[in-house]
Amino acid sequence: MLFFNSFVVLLISSQYTLLDKVFRNNSRFIRMVLEPKFVDYGSIHPTPDGHTHQVHHGVSGPRSALLSPLDDEDVTANASAGPKMTQGDLYQRQPLLPNPKNGDHWAQHTHGTTGSEYYVDEEDEIMDKGSNRNGDIIIDIPASREEPRFPQERWKTLLAFVIMCFNFILTLTSLSLVHDKVPDRKVYGPLPDVFLLNVPAYDWALDVSEYIIIFCVNSCMITMIFHKHRFIVFRRIFLIMSLLYMYRAITMYVTVLPLSSTTYVCSPTSNDTSPSLIMKRVLHLMSGFGLSVNGKHTYCGDFIYSGHTVVLVFSYLVISEYTPKKFFLLRIVHWLYWILGLIGVIMLQLSHGHYTVDVIIAYYVTTRIFWIYHTLANNANLKQFSSNNLLSRTWWFALFLYFEGNVGGPIPRQFDWPLPWPRRWHSKGNRAS
């Protein structure tokens, strides 16, 4: 038994000696297998005697104790047997390192180092920032360049003005034709109306309403002249008013209502309505801008829908949309236009100039067209014919695309001096919302 135990001990010691020799001879292979890819191979530092030694980082535990003696022997053997190992040779053995910081101009565009191989120019950094990891080139456009987004297109504004004038003349022509078709007030009295039946008529109230209209329209136009994108704003005003005038010309002509007022003075009717007579009536109405306060509006029958209400509501909508809202004074102006519009409509009703249904329809049509138009204008994804874009089914959508296709988004509420002189006002006159 003792002999057998001695034999086993001798066999184990011989196997251990053999494994130790194999391990020493194949240490590089074992190291390559055992070491993970993220290990830091360290750096090469020269010593006073001209040799180099390798410093390891991040290796600890039994594995570091096992490999450290072998590493020192290998480095010493390599240093004495062949040429010295350089820092670049070591970097070729290292894994990928993190990219250099953005503020480090001395950087290497390889993945191996953050050392000072060569200097990166600031212009190169700008070019690098203009491309992402997918290889797409990104061009930064300054936000202050608003001309490409909001082109003036003055000739389009002029065309929109011509269209508005045409529809305005169409409305006056419709009124000139309707005047001879109005039922005789001696035979047909006013239609039953809740407001008109319970409130007596005041003829002076119509003049008050029209003076409010004159103030709102003139002040609104002057304000829009100082808008930075005035040509786009006026183009929209002309187009929306064109639609309102055209619809009013149609509704007046298709349904003729009896006079709502028993005291309003109307011109005599004619049994022979000739083109020349219609032209004279149109010119007569145009000379007074369709207002009775000028003494030119003496033709009756323009009921559905109320043109006075259209102008009052539209003036408030324009001021509210295109003037800043964050200033307290301008908020007061917005409320002032709203109050003036309400007073103007009440005065119109007190004069019995329109039926109540005329006012309601005028408010509804004006606000719907204004809000639909600006919803389309302020959203680029709605400026296209699509089965999901139900707003594109409006009959005037193609006309809208022609005039608004180049406008790049909501118009900023900014103002500047419209004249080329004095020049010093151009730098100080710009006010943003």
Side-chain angles (χ1 to χ4, degrees):
M1 186 64 181
L2 180 61
F3 175 77
F4 177 76
N5 292 336
S6 301
F7 177 76
V8 172
V9 171
L10 180 62
L11 181 60
I12 292 175
S13 60
S14 62
Q15 293 293 331
Y16 176 79
T17 304
L18 179 62
L19 289 175
D20 182 67
K21 291 181 179 181
V22 171
F23 178 79
R24 290 182 175 272
N25 293 334
N26 298 277
S27 60
R28 292 184 182 275
F29 174 78
I30 296 174
R31 184 190 315 162
M32 181 177 63
V33 173
L34 294 179
E35 284 186 339
K37 294 183 178 180
F38 57 84
V39 66
D40 185 5
Y41 286 90
S43 57
I44 301 298
H45 298 280
T47 56
D49 57 355
H51 298 285
T52 60
H53 67 277
Q54 185 176 7
V55 179
H56 289 271
H57 305 282
V59 180
S60 61
R63 180 179 163 277
S64 61
L66 180 64
L67 297 181
S68 297
L70 298 178
D71 291 341
D72 294 337
E73 293 177 4
D74 294 339
V75 172
T76 305
N78 291 334
S80 59
K84 299 178 181 180
M85 182 180 294
T86 63
Q87 190 76 18
D89 296 335
L90 179 62
Y91 285 152
Q92 293 181 359
R93 298 171 54 191
Q94 288 184 343
L96 297 179
L97 295 179
N99 293 328
K101 297 181 180 180
N102 296 331
D104 188 9
H105 294 287
W106 292 93
Q108 184 176 357
H109 280 217
T110 59
H111 296 285
T113 182
T114 58
S116 58
E117 291 292 333
Y118 59 88
Y119 183 80
V120 180
D121 194 6
E122 294 182 357
E123 296 182 358
D124 296 335
E125 286 188 339
I126 297 176
M127 293 299 295
D128 292 340
K129 291 179 181 179
S131 60
N132 57 15
R133 295 181 179 179
N134 296 328
D136 299 332
I137 298 176
I138 302 174
I139 300 176
D140 293 330
I141 300 177
S144 59
R145 294 183 181 180
E146 296 178 353
E147 282 301 318
R149 291 191 61 194
F150 307 105
Q152 296 184 11
E153 298 179 315
R154 301 181 181 182
W155 62 276
K156 286 187 178 181
T157 304
L158 179 61
L159 179 59
F161 177 75
V162 172
I163 296 175
M164 185 193 70
C165 291
F166 173 79
N167 285 279
F168 179 67
I169 295 175
L170 182 64
T171 302
L172 298 181
T173 304
S174 178
L175 175 58
S176 300
L177 294 172
V178 168
H179 175 72
D180 294 332
K181 298 180 180 180
V182 176
D184 189 1
R185 68 174 61 179
K186 296 179 181 179
V187 179
Y188 300 96
L191 295 175
D193 187 280
V194 174
F195 188 89
L196 302 183
L197 291 176
N198 296 280
V199 178
Y202 299 93
D203 294 338
W204 56 265
L206 182 61
D207 294 341
V208 175
S209 177
E210 292 188 346
Y211 281 125
I212 293 176
I213 289 176
I214 294 173
F215 170 78
C216 291
V217 171
N218 291 333
S219 60
C220 181
M221 293 298 103
I222 293 174
T223 304
M224 293 304 103
I225 289 175
F226 288 91
H227 199 284
K228 184 176 182 180
H229 306 286
R230 60 188 66 88
F231 289 98
I232 300 178
V233 175
F234 277 112
R235 184 161 66 243
R236 294 178 175 180
I237 291 175
F238 296 153
L239 290 174
I240 296 176
M241 289 302 299
S242 299
L243 296 174
L244 294 172
Y245 279 135
M246 187 199 64
Y247 283 133
R248 187 165 185 259
I250 295 174
T251 56
M252 280 194 308
Y253 185 80
V254 297
T255 303
V256 182
L257 302 180
L259 295 176
S260 58
S261 174
T262 58
T263 59
Y264 189 82
V265 179
C266 298
S267 298
T269 60
S270 175
N271 295 327
D272 185 15
T273 305
S274 61
S276 60
L277 179 61
I278 298 300
M279 184 63 66
K280 290 180 181 179
R281 290 178 177 177
V282 170
L283 294 177
H284 184 76
L285 291 169
M286 288 181 63
S287 62
F289 295 99
L291 298 176
S292 60
V293 71
N294 297 323
K296 303 295 183 179
H297 197 298
T298 58
Y299 302 103
C300 301
D302 55 337
F303 290 110
I304 297 177
Y305 44 86
S306 170
H308 292 69
T309 306
V310 166
V311 175
L312 290 170
V313 174
F314 188 73
S315 299
Y316 164 73
L317 293 175
V318 171
I319 291 295
S320 177
E321 177 67 24
Y322 294 108
T323 56
K325 299 180 179 180
K326 67 179 182 179
F327 300 113
F328 178 75
L329 180 61
L330 292 175
R331 289 183 181 178
I332 296 178
V333 173
H334 293 173
W335 279 103
L336 176 63
Y337 271 81
W338 188 87
I339 294 173
L340 288 176
L342 180 61
I343 294 176
V345 172
I346 294 175
M347 293 294 111
L348 179 65
Q349 290 298 93
L350 289 177
S351 67
H352 289 200
H354 275 280
Y355 292 103
T356 306
V357 67
D358 300 346
V359 174
I360 296 175
I361 295 176
Y363 169 80
Y364 184 84
V365 174
T366 304
T367 53
R368 296 318 108 165
I369 293 179
F370 187 91
W371 291 335
I372 290 174
Y373 190 99
H374 285 78
T375 299
L376 294 171
N378 294 340
N379 295 274
N381 57 342
L382 297 180
K383 293 182 179 180
Q384 57 183 345
F385 288 95
S386 173
S387 59
N388 296 326
N389 181 17
L390 301 182
L391 296 179
S392 64
R393 299 182 183 181
T394 55
W395 65 267
W396 47 267
F397 186 75
L399 184 67
F400 163 82
L401 288 181
Y402 175 75
F403 285 98
E404 295 286 341
N406 296 330
V407 180
I411 296 179
R413 298 180 178 94
Q414 298 176 346
F415 293 84
D416 63 0
W417 183 250
L419 301 177
W421 50 269
R423 301 183 64 88
R424 62 187 180 87
W425 285 19
H426 288 270
S427 60
K428 298 179 180 181
N430 190 5
R431 296 292 184 268
S433 60

